[in-house]
Amino acid sequence: MQGATVLLHSLLGRPPHLHLLRPFSTSGRVLGYKLAKNIKDCYSLLGIAEDCTETDLKESYIRLAKQYHPDSGSKTADPRKFAQVEEAYRTVQQKLAKEKKREEVEETEEVDVRVDIKHTAPQHRQYIEYEGVGYGTPTQRQKQYQQYRVDRAANRVVDYKISKLSAMSESALVLQEKRAARKVKITQVIDRMVEDMIQESMNNGEFDDLPGKGKPLKNREKSEYNPYQDTTTHLINKILNDNGFKPPWVELEVEVRDRIKELRRNIDLKRAKLGPEPFSIKHQRQWNVFLDTFREDITALNKRIDKYNMVVPIMSKQLAHIKADREVAKVLEKFKAQEEQGQQQRIAVEQTEEKPTQEKMRWGILRHWRFTPLNE
């Protein structure tokens, strides 16, 4: 590091000044003070060193303008950040211009001290040409002057673009604020106008003849109500349903549930037809044949349930298998309970019929004892 410093000192003729860039944020905290009074923050904002050239300054500004200008179409476009970048650029540009002018004044003073132009020999007047630009032979100075004119023209083009971007940014900010204010104003006007129209219609009695006035809203059926479904989806499903268009899994679910009800109804009717237990040999044979057919139907039904569970989109809508033995046991227990209940009712009726007979016998005995003479 020390050897590099000595080498730079020998090449530049002065000790090198090394500046480290510190991070600078363009957030809202910069808006509370003037960037023009904080030159170090201006350098940090532009991302350049304090000993930079005008070329470095302009390249940095163009890069940041492409990044933050509101009309650049970039995702990072921000009018406020661009305004800060522009202010920093102007401040640093003025500082560099002052330094350049001060250096030119110092060089002029040194030349005036060493050489008096009035007493310079005619052969040295060639250095007065080309606006005092360049050094060396006249040919070299001419080439240097041409390059200087090219650079000066490029700088003027850059300055023009920068001024144009600045004007566009200011107009874009103003236009954006005007659009936002106009949108809010239009919304408020529309809301107020609608409220006024509704109030006027109510005062004129236009809402008095509406059907269902004073009555609660008609509730939708439970099968149609879904609190997690938006209105558009509900209307689309209702239109499809009214026109006979249903998802395959819905039709399959209806088919499976209807088949379950049919099989349960058939086994109930068959058991009621056979009468009370114990069965006769003929009835027992019929019951066994019916149970074999019932189990085959349950097996086919379970296959349909498997197919339904494969296509249904909702896990909670899946169905469990139907067990034939459990269905048979339910039917037998049901009819057994009915037989026991019927038997208890018959016993209660018989007891009710026997009670009046006993009462009549008791009153007959008492009547005979009361009216029979004692001598007998």
Side-chain angles (χ1 to χ4, degrees):
M1 183 66 184
Q2 185 175 3
T5 303
V6 173
L7 180 59
L8 288 173
H9 179 65
S10 62
L11 292 174
L12 299 175
R14 57 178 176 83
H17 298 284
L18 301 178
H19 300 277
L20 297 178
L21 294 178
R22 60 189 182 92
F24 181 80
S25 175
T26 59
S27 61
R29 68 182 183 87
V30 182
L31 299 177
Y33 69 100
K34 296 292 185 178
L35 274 174
K37 298 180 180 180
N38 298 272
I39 192 65
K40 292 185 178 180
D41 288 344
C42 294
Y43 280 107
S44 299
L45 177 60
L46 296 172
I48 55 178
E50 294 183 3
D51 57 349
C52 67
T53 61
E54 291 185 0
T55 303
D56 298 335
L57 176 62
K58 292 175 181 178
E59 290 178 354
S60 176
Y61 177 79
I62 293 173
R63 175 176 56 81
L64 294 175
K66 292 179 180 179
Q67 186 176 359
Y68 295 117
H69 194 274
D71 296 333
S72 62
S74 175
K75 296 181 179 179
T76 59
D78 191 343
R80 292 183 177 84
K81 291 184 179 180
F82 177 74
Q84 295 173 1
V85 171
E86 183 184 5
E87 185 178 359
Y89 170 75
R90 296 298 181 186
T91 303
V92 176
Q93 189 180 40
Q94 291 176 2
K95 178 178 176 293
L96 293 179
K98 290 179 181 179
E99 291 180 353
K100 184 177 180 181
K101 186 174 181 180
R102 186 172 59 252
E103 290 177 358
E104 290 177 354
V105 170
E106 292 177 355
E107 292 178 358
T108 304
E109 292 176 352
E110 291 178 359
V111 171
D112 291 339
V113 171
R114 290 180 298 178
V115 180
D116 187 2
I117 191 62
K118 294 180 180 179
H119 303 285
T120 303
Q123 63 269 22
H124 297 290
R125 293 183 180 178
Q126 57 180 329
Y127 297 101
I128 302 177
E129 299 176 356
Y130 307 119
E131 300 180 12
V133 176
Y135 60 91
T137 63
T139 304
Q140 294 175 348
R141 293 185 67 247
Q142 184 181 9
K143 292 181 179 179
Q144 294 172 10
Y145 178 67
Q146 291 176 353
Q147 184 63 37
Y148 167 76
R149 293 184 62 185
V150 172
D151 294 339
R152 184 170 59 184
N155 292 337
R156 289 178 179 176
V157 172
V158 172
D159 292 339
Y160 172 75
K161 290 183 178 180
I162 290 172
S163 61
K164 188 176 180 181
L165 288 174
S166 301
M168 291 173 62
S169 64
E170 293 177 0
S171 60
L173 284 174
V174 174
L175 183 61
Q176 185 177 3
E177 293 177 356
K178 287 184 178 179
R179 286 177 180 173
R182 183 180 179 185
K183 185 177 180 181
V184 173
K185 185 176 180 180
I186 291 174
T187 304
Q188 294 175 353
V189 170
I190 292 175
D191 293 342
R192 187 167 60 253
M193 183 175 62
V194 171
E195 291 293 336
D196 293 342
M197 293 175 65
I198 292 174
Q199 191 64 36
E200 183 180 357
S201 300
M202 292 175 65
N203 295 333
N204 296 334
E206 297 180 5
F207 293 164
D208 295 341
D209 299 332
L210 293 177
K213 179 187 176 182
K215 299 179 182 179
L217 295 176
K218 184 178 179 181
N219 294 328
R220 293 183 294 180
E221 297 181 4
K222 267 190 175 181
S223 60
E224 295 182 358
Y225 179 71
N226 184 1
Y228 303 103
Q229 189 179 65
D230 59 286
T231 307
T232 304
T233 306
H234 171 74
L235 293 176
I236 292 174
N237 292 337
K238 188 174 184 305
I239 293 171
L240 293 176
N241 189 19
D242 294 343
N243 290 274
F245 296 96
K246 296 181 181 179
W249 65 271
V250 173
E251 296 180 352
L252 188 57
E253 180 185 12
V254 174
E255 179 184 346
V256 169
R257 293 188 183 277
D258 291 344
R259 183 57 177 166
I260 292 173
K261 293 179 182 179
E262 181 182 359
L263 291 177
R264 287 175 176 171
R265 184 171 57 253
N266 291 340
I267 194 173
D268 284 344
L269 293 175
K270 187 64 177 179
R271 177 63 187 84
K273 186 177 180 180
L274 295 177
E277 295 183 1
F279 296 149
S280 63
I281 297 176
K282 180 180 178 182
H283 288 174
Q284 186 65 43
R285 187 182 300 110
Q286 292 177 359
W287 178 247
N288 292 336
V289 172
F290 176 80
L291 289 182
D292 292 339
T293 306
F294 180 77
R295 290 188 176 92
E296 292 177 358
D297 293 339
I298 291 295
T299 302
L301 176 63
N302 287 334
K303 291 181 180 180
R304 301 290 293 173
I305 291 175
D306 290 337
K307 182 178 179 181
Y308 165 77
N309 291 337
M310 291 291 291
V311 297
V312 64
I314 307 173
M315 186 68 67
S316 59
K317 298 285 289 183
Q318 291 188 350
L319 300 176
H321 280 188
I322 305 298
K323 296 184 179 180
D325 296 337
R326 183 180 297 176
E327 296 293 329
V328 174
K330 285 182 181 179
V331 172
L332 294 177
E333 290 178 0
K334 174 183 174 182
F335 278 89
K336 186 176 180 180
Q338 291 178 356
E339 291 176 1
E340 292 178 354
Q341 186 178 1
Q343 188 176 0
Q344 291 177 359
Q345 291 177 354
R346 286 193 298 271
I347 294 173
V349 170
E350 291 176 358
Q351 291 178 353
T352 305
E353 292 176 354
E354 290 178 357
K355 190 174 182 179
T357 304
Q358 293 177 358
E359 290 291 336
K360 289 179 181 180
M361 291 177 63
R362 188 180 299 110
W363 282 105
I365 294 171
L366 289 174
R367 203 167 34 248
H368 177 74
W369 175 75
R370 181 177 180 181
F371 294 106
T372 302
L374 295 175
N375 56 3
E376 293 182 1

